[in-house]
Amino acid sequence: MRQNEIPKVVSRNGNVRRNRQYEKRMHSILKAASYVIARDGFEGASVRDVAAKARINLSGIYYYFTNKDELLYALQHHTFTTLHETLRHRLQSCDTKEARLRAVLDNHFEFFVENMDDLKVCVHEMESLSGKYYREVLAIRRRYYRLVRKIVAENLDGRRHDADLVSLFLYGSLNWVYTWYDAEKNRDVSKLSDQLLKIYLNGIKAS
Amino acid sequence: MRQNEIPKVVSRNGNVRRNRQYEKRMHSILKAASYVIARDGFEGASVRDVAAKARINLSGIYYYFTNKDELLYALQHHTFTTLHETLRHRLQSCDTKEARLRAVLDNHFEFFVENMDDLKVCVHEMESLSGKYYREVLAIRRRYYRLVRKIVAENLDGRRHDADLVSLFLYGSLNWVYTWYDAEKNRDVSKLSDQLLKIYLNGIKAS
DNA sequence: GTATAATTAGAACGAACGTTCGATTTAATT
DNA sequence: AATTAAATCGAACGTTCGTTCTAATTATAC
C-alpha cells in the first residue's frame, strides 16, 4: 500500500506493519537525491540515477515518494527547517547583538560544510518547484530570512543603512559559498565567519 | 551550407553570399534563448520553445548553432566579455581606489538591470556546460573575477583581510541580486552600489 | 531570367525521461 | 505454519527531447 495524500516530510507511511528499514531506506533515497541533484541539477537529474545511487529499484522510489517533485520538496523542506532550527538554538546562548550576528554566520557556514549537497540543492534549485510545493518551501525560506534580517537590523546604524538591502547582500555572500568552497583550501571554517563579520562590522578600509 | 567548426561568438557564417538578415536572426535567437533559459533553466528549456520565441522553425536553430550547448556558450561568452569590457572602460576614468571599487559595483548593477536574463543565465547556469565550452567560459569568468579582486585588494587593509575571501563575499552579493531584484522596488539602482560600498568601506556598525 | 548557394520548412529518428502496473518476494502477525 | 500486507522488482507505456535529413523556398550573382 502506498500513501498519496499531501506529503509529509519525515515519513509518509502511516501503516502499522512497517519494515524496520523503512526510515533508513527513505533517508538513503534522500541522501542519494541530494547527491545527484547537486551534481546534475534538478531537471538534469534522473530518477533512475537517484535509484541507482540509493541501491534501489527505479519503481522503488515511487513507493516512498509520489513523484520527482516531492523528492526535491522533501529535501528542501527538511534542510531549510533544520538550518532554521539550529540557528534558533544557537541564538539562545548569545548575549550581545554582535554575538548573534556572529552566530548567524557560524551557523550558516558550519551547516554548509556538513551538508554541502543539501544546501546547494536548496539554494540552486529555489525555482525548480511550483504550486503548493514551491509556496510551502518559500514560507520556510522566508521565516529563516526574517530571522537573519532581524539580527542584521539590530546591528545596524539605521540612519546610514537599509536593513533589507544589507540583509540581502549578506545573504548573497552566504549563499554564494557553494560555488567556490574548497574543503582543502578552507580547512578552517571559522575563518570564513571571522572575515565576513569583520567586513560587516568594520568595513575593509585600508589605513 | 552550414559551419561546424570551432564556434565563434559573433558570427559563425563565413560565407560571402549571406542574407542581410543573418545577423538579426542570430541575435533574435540569442535573445529568445536568454529569455527561455532564464525562465526554465538550461536543462528545462527546450530548443522548441526557443525557436517559437524567436519565431523561427525548430530546425532553423540548427542552421545558426550546431547544438543546444553552443547556444548557452554563445550567450555566456558574449555576456561575460561585454561585462568585462564595460568595466575596463569605466575604470579608465577613475582616479582613486575608492572610485574604482565603486565602478565595479555600479558596472555590475547597471549591467544587470539592463541585461537581467543574460546575467542570470551566466550566473545560474555556470555548471551547465562541460568540456571545451565550459573551460572557455571559465577563462573569461576568471579574467573578470581577477579584475574585481585586484580592485578589492588595493582597497584592503591587508593585515586584517584576506583578499580572496573578501572578493568572493563581494562577488556573492553581486551575483545573488538576480534572485531578489524587483524593478519596482529598486528603481534607484545607484542606491544598491551606495549601500554595498558603505558596507565594505565602513561596515554597518550601530553607533 | 537563369543558375547557384543561402536559408527555411516539415517530418521523422532514436534515446531518455517520469511514471505506472502487475507480479513476486519479504517481513510481521496469529 | 498459515495468513496478510508491506516492500521490491521487471517490464512497459506514452511523451518529450535534441538532432538530422531531405525537400522546398528565397535571395543573390551573372
Side-chain angles (χ1 to χ4, degrees):
Chain A
M1 205 191 80
R2 185 160 53 88
Q3 300 268 103
N4 54 1
E5 295 295 303
I6 302 147
K8 296 173 196 148
V9 175
V10 179
S11 167
R12 299 182 51 262
N13 189 321
N15 302 309
V16 184
R17 311 212 340 208
R18 186 196 308 166
N19 191 325
R20 258 186 240 93
Q21 297 198 62
Y22 183 88
E23 310 264 339
K24 285 195 176 180
R25 266 270 200 264
M26 185 135 198
H27 186 260
S28 80
I29 292 175
L30 283 175
K31 209 71 193 163
S34 177
Y35 175 82
V36 175
I37 296 174
R39 189 189 59 192
D40 301 335
F42 180 66
E43 290 273 359
S46 75
V47 181
R48 282 168 177 81
D49 271 4
V50 174
K53 183 81 185 170
R55 295 179 160 281
I56 197 176
N57 188 279
L58 168 61
S59 53
I61 300 277
Y62 290 88
Y63 182 73
Y64 292 88
F65 298 91
T66 61
N67 54 41
K68 192 187 174 188
D69 280 6
E70 204 190 288
L71 259 177
L72 181 57
Y73 168 77
L75 268 176
Q76 294 189 331
H77 188 293
H78 177 262
T79 304
F80 263 126
T81 304
T82 310
L83 180 65
H84 183 248
E85 283 307 312
T86 61
L87 177 56
R88 277 170 57 92
H89 180 263
R90 217 186 252 260
L91 285 171
Q92 289 175 354
S93 53
C94 294
D95 299 331
T96 66
K97 57 183 193 289
E98 288 87 0
R100 282 189 286 276
L101 186 57
R102 155 148 228 130
V104 170
L105 306 188
D106 280 340
N107 186 67
H108 202 102
F109 286 129
E110 287 174 23
F111 187 90
F112 167 75
V113 168
E114 284 170 18
N115 310 272
M116 289 189 54
D117 287 342
D118 303 88
L119 206 45
K120 175 173 178 180
V121 167
C122 280
V123 170
H124 196 258
E125 309 296 341
M126 257 172 39
E127 290 183 303
S128 296
L129 290 176
S130 59
K132 196 166 193 168
Y133 287 137
Y134 175 78
R135 285 192 300 272
E136 285 199 27
V137 177
L138 179 65
I140 309 173
R141 190 148 49 90
R142 287 229 175 100
R143 213 181 304 155
Y144 178 66
Y145 171 76
R146 271 198 297 269
L147 184 52
V148 172
R149 200 201 106 111
K150 200 190 86 180
I151 293 165
V152 165
E154 68 175 358
N155 276 277
L156 272 192
D157 178 356
R159 290 163 305 179
R160 300 176 60 245
H161 298 285
D162 178 320
D164 267 315
L165 280 185
V166 175
S167 305
L168 288 167
F169 286 144
L170 180 65
Y171 212 49
S173 296
L174 295 177
N175 287 328
W176 185 249
V177 175
Y178 82 89
T179 68
W180 56 266
Y181 179 82
D182 180 332
E184 291 296 316
K185 287 184 185 173
N186 307 100
R187 272 212 188 77
D188 185 7
V189 187
S190 70
K191 197 190 167 190
L192 301 183
S193 3
D194 280 347
Q195 181 63 86
L196 192 53
L197 194 68
K198 255 184 227 159
I199 295 172
Y200 274 76
L201 289 184
N202 306 312
I204 62 168
K205 231 172 192 169
S207 53
Chain B
M1 207 192 79
R2 185 160 53 91
Q3 298 270 105
N4 54 359
E5 294 295 303
I6 303 146
K8 296 175 197 148
V9 174
V10 180
S11 168
R12 300 181 50 264
N13 190 319
N15 303 308
V16 185
R17 303 191 13 188
R18 186 196 311 168
N19 191 326
R20 259 184 240 94
Q21 297 198 62
Y22 183 88
E23 310 264 339
K24 285 195 177 180
R25 267 270 200 264
M26 185 134 198
H27 186 260
S28 80
I29 292 175
L30 283 174
K31 209 71 193 163
S34 177
Y35 174 83
V36 175
I37 296 174
R39 189 189 59 191
D40 301 334
F42 180 66
E43 291 274 359
S46 75
V47 182
R48 283 168 176 82
D49 271 3
V50 174
K53 183 79 186 172
R55 295 180 160 281
I56 195 176
N57 188 279
L58 168 62
S59 54
I61 300 277
Y62 290 88
Y63 182 73
Y64 292 88
F65 298 90
T66 61
N67 54 41
K68 193 187 174 188
D69 280 6
E70 203 189 290
L71 258 177
L72 180 57
Y73 168 77
L75 267 177
Q76 294 188 331
H77 188 293
H78 176 261
T79 304
F80 263 126
T81 304
T82 309
L83 180 65
H84 184 248
E85 283 307 312
T86 59
L87 177 56
R88 276 170 58 91
H89 180 262
R90 218 184 251 259
L91 285 171
Q92 289 176 353
S93 54
C94 294
D95 298 332
T96 67
K97 57 184 194 289
E98 288 87 359
R100 281 189 288 275
L101 185 56
R102 154 146 230 133
V104 170
L105 306 188
D106 280 341
N107 186 67
H108 203 101
F109 286 129
E110 287 174 22
F111 187 90
F112 167 75
V113 169
E114 285 171 17
N115 310 272
M116 289 189 54
D117 287 342
D118 304 88
L119 206 47
K120 174 173 180 181
V121 167
C122 280
V123 170
H124 196 258
E125 309 297 340
M126 256 172 39
E127 290 182 302
S128 297
L129 290 176
S130 59
K132 197 165 191 166
Y133 287 137
Y134 174 78
R135 285 192 300 273
E136 285 199 29
V137 177
L138 179 66
I140 309 173
R141 190 147 50 90
R142 287 228 175 100
R143 212 181 305 156
Y144 177 66
Y145 171 76
R146 272 198 297 269
L147 183 52
V148 172
R149 200 202 107 110
K150 201 190 84 180
I151 293 165
V152 165
E154 68 174 358
N155 276 276
L156 272 192
D157 179 356
R159 290 163 304 179
R160 301 176 61 245
H161 298 285
D162 177 321
D164 268 314
L165 280 185
V166 175
S167 305
L168 288 166
F169 286 143
L170 180 65
Y171 213 48
S173 296
L174 295 177
N175 287 329
W176 184 249
V177 175
Y178 81 88
T179 68
W180 56 265
Y181 179 82
D182 181 332
E184 291 296 317
K185 287 184 184 174
N186 307 100
R187 274 213 186 77
D188 186 7
V189 187
S190 70
K191 195 191 168 189
L192 301 183
S193 4
D194 279 348
Q195 180 64 85
L196 191 53
L197 193 68
K198 254 184 228 158
I199 296 172
Y200 275 76
L201 289 185
N202 306 312
I204 62 169
K205 230 173 191 168
S207 52

